Amino acid sequence: MKPALRAAAKEYLVRYGGDSFPNLFCEARGAIVKDDTGREILDFTSGQMCATLGHNHPAVVQAIAEAGRKAYHMFSGMIPEVVAELAEKLATEWMPKGLTKSIFINTGSESNEAAFRMAKLYTGGYEIIAVGGSWHGITGGVSAASFASDRKGYGVPTPGVFVMPEPHSYRPYISGLSAEESALTCLQIGLRMFDMASTGKPAAIVIEPVISAGGVLVPPPSYMRALRKAADDRNMLLIFDEAQTAFGRIGYKTASEMFDVVPDIMSVSKTMGGGLPLAATITRPDIEQTNFERGYSYYTSHVSDPLPATVGLAVLRTLQEERLLEKARDTGDYLRKALLDLQKKYEVIGDVRGAGMLLGVELVVSPDTKEPALELGALTTRKCYEKGLSMNIKRRPERGSVWRIAPPLTVTHAQIDQGIAILDESLQESLDEMTRGKGIA
């Protein structure tokens, strides 16, 4: 441990929100991160949901070295060979039929900004419909369409954004209906409200096919089909934000494949770069051609950079060679079963949901009231970390108290067993501590 560096972090870094830790971190490999005391911590969030191959996978390390021998960066008008190779691989092996034109940039926020610009230029409109609980980024245009949190204090958002209530199987908005009926009714109401408020300039509907920051919500397939029809009926483009769902995380190439619904534009990021900043926006050739003729511009210093493209190719190769999509389904089933076993033991676990290796565990004070157990979630998360397990929890009253569990696809069953044991012990300790604090015998 280097106390001077801890002091420097406290003195010189801007605090940027979210959970932070008093210690610093020095290494990461596989599903393990190591802090500045040498303590190893099991990572059940794949970093920031990015390191799907595990931290510092040898294929990623080798790709970085290869880029070092060739090129890290070029003038944006010079297309590196490796960028053309990555575009071809996405179009022919990974994307749903028809999505063949890609632009490569750095972050999920950027890929959604590029998608919004495509939709607005192509349709001539500017109105965007988003879904409650969504998270599409923090930059200007997409932050206006992000409803999971962090909207207050930054001035007037980009105009023309409309929100619909999200489909929520555990907390349906409309009582007396099934989860599917509630989801479809929420969609119908949201669309009617948009139709009443629209100025006649519709552009796009955007959705995370699994609404992660909103609590790992998986819409029913009928909802996704209805969303596709709603966009078509209004001459809007449908955008899938697959930052977390593409490239194996949910056991499929994309959520588009899982739902059998093809969007007009797909944005991808986290799961393609193996922990490095790589994102892409992919669309149809006719949309790209029309926008090119109209002067589409998304020109940055790091568009089409060779380093992240080299890494992206390595990630896609590794996913295929190590059969990680199949493993995500198998290991995801193993993890889900372990969590469901915990749910049988603890009635405060109200719901276990998700797909593949992107799972949500919701804590409640009572399964009858479904009141979010915010204090319990915070305390248990802290105890997990103290025992060597890093967990990401969303704890906002309107979103519930939900762990987003997303280990690397390379995590072993033994590591899952270890993590579940820590969670079990931490949850029991937290319940005991809170019971004693309330003076309950």
Side-chain angles (χ1 to χ4, degrees):
M1 183 178 72
K2 299 177 182 178
L5 286 180
R6 289 193 182 187
K10 186 174 182 180
E11 178 76 14
Y12 301 117
L13 291 178
V14 170
R15 288 164 287 188
Y16 45 80
D19 293 330
S20 60
F21 306 94
N23 44 353
L24 301 179
F25 295 82
C26 54
E27 292 182 33
R29 193 168 304 279
I32 302 294
V33 295
K34 186 181 292 187
D35 71 9
D36 57 1
T37 70
R39 191 167 73 105
E40 292 188 346
I41 299 159
L42 187 58
D43 180 10
F44 265 30
T45 63
S46 302
Q48 195 68 32
M49 307 279 188
C50 298
T52 47
L53 303 186
H55 295 282
N56 285 44
H57 190 285
V60 173
V61 174
Q62 183 179 349
I64 294 170
E66 179 184 343
R69 291 190 296 270
K70 294 181 177 179
Y72 290 138
H73 168 75
M74 291 183 179
F75 174 67
S76 296
M78 298 177 177
I79 303 300
E81 291 179 336
V82 69
V83 168
E85 186 179 353
L86 179 57
E88 180 182 35
K89 193 169 188 69
L90 281 185
T92 59
E93 298 182 26
W94 287 91
M95 287 295 105
K97 186 177 181 180
L99 300 188
T100 60
K101 302 288 282 190
S102 297
I103 177 174
F104 296 103
I105 36 193
N106 300 127
T107 70
S109 293
E110 274 196 273
S111 62
N112 284 317
E113 291 285 2
F116 282 16
R117 290 169 75 95
M118 285 180 184
K120 290 176 179 181
L121 189 61
Y122 182 77
T123 62
Y126 67 93
E127 294 169 341
I128 304 287
I129 304 176
V131 176
S134 58
W135 179 264
H136 300 297
I138 61 167
T139 50
V142 297
S143 65
S146 296
F147 292 96
S149 62
D150 303 332
R151 293 180 59 84
K152 298 177 181 178
Y154 305 106
V156 179
T158 302
V161 176
F162 300 79
V163 64
M164 299 188 297
E166 68 272 24
H168 201 313
S169 61
Y170 184 61
R171 300 173 182 275
Y173 277 93
I174 303 172
S175 60
L177 300 179
S178 69
E180 181 177 22
E181 290 169 337
S182 175
L184 291 171
T185 303
C186 283
L187 175 59
Q188 184 181 41
I189 291 171
L191 290 169
R192 285 184 177 179
M193 292 180 69
F194 167 75
D195 291 340
M196 285 188 284
S198 173
T199 63
K201 291 292 185 178
I205 301 174
V206 61
I207 188 172
E208 297 171 275
V210 176
I211 305 167
S212 178
V216 192
L217 309 177
V218 183
S222 57
Y223 179 94
M224 301 302 285
R225 292 193 296 270
L227 204 63
R228 174 70 273 179
K229 184 177 186 304
D232 292 339
D233 288 347
R234 290 161 179 79
N235 295 315
M236 304 174 85
L237 299 188
L238 180 60
I239 301 171
F240 278 5
D241 177 354
E242 295 221 28
Q244 294 186 36
T245 51
F247 310 118
R249 166 62 71 191
I250 59 173
Y252 291 85
K253 290 181 178 180
T254 61
S256 170
E257 179 185 48
M258 184 177 79
F259 284 109
D260 193 24
V261 174
V262 180
D264 303 294
I265 304 173
M266 185 183 296
S267 58
V268 299
S269 56
K270 294 177 186 292
T271 52
M272 187 167 59
L276 269 71
L278 173 63
T281 310
I282 309 108
T283 191
R284 300 195 314 259
D286 62 301
I287 294 174
E288 191 276 338
Q289 180 63 35
T290 296
N291 281 351
F292 171 74
E293 292 169 0
R294 293 176 180 175
Y296 180 79
S297 175
Y298 198 92
Y299 195 90
T300 80
S301 298
H302 296 286
V303 65
S304 294
D305 261 352
L307 168 59
T310 304
V311 171
L313 277 173
V315 168
L316 299 185
R317 272 197 309 269
T318 303
L319 288 170
Q320 293 173 323
E321 291 170 359
E322 298 187 8
R323 301 181 64 84
L324 292 181
L325 274 68
E326 294 90 336
K327 186 172 182 181
R329 293 194 289 270
D330 172 70
T331 309
D333 288 343
Y334 186 83
L335 176 57
R336 182 191 288 267
K337 181 181 183 302
L339 293 169
L340 289 172
D341 288 342
L342 279 186
Q343 185 182 29
K344 295 174 184 176
K345 183 177 179 180
Y346 299 103
E347 67 172 13
V348 293
I349 297 180
D351 196 28
V352 176
R353 54 183 180 255
M357 292 286 282
L358 177 57
L359 298 176
V361 176
E362 180 155 0
L363 297 178
V364 294
V365 175
S366 162
D368 296 324
T369 66
K370 298 183 181 180
E371 177 188 347
L374 303 178
E375 182 183 354
L376 177 63
L379 180 59
T380 307
T381 302
R382 185 167 69 248
K383 286 184 178 293
C384 282
Y385 179 73
E386 291 168 355
K387 297 176 186 296
L389 174 65
S390 176
M391 301 268 280
N392 176 285
I393 192 164
K394 304 296 291 186
R395 47 183 188 271
R396 296 175 64 89
E398 74 278 13
R399 300 259 66 87
S401 183
V402 185
W403 280 306
R404 290 190 296 167
I405 301 179
L409 306 188
T410 52
V411 70
T412 65
H413 284 202
Q415 288 173 324
I416 287 176
D417 292 341
Q418 178 189 357
I420 292 295
I422 292 173
L423 176 56
D424 187 1
E425 182 180 348
S426 300
L427 186 53
Q428 185 63 64
E429 287 184 8
S430 298
L431 287 167
D432 292 344
E433 184 175 318
M434 290 176 66
T435 299
R436 288 194 302 271
K438 293 176 181 176
I440 301 174

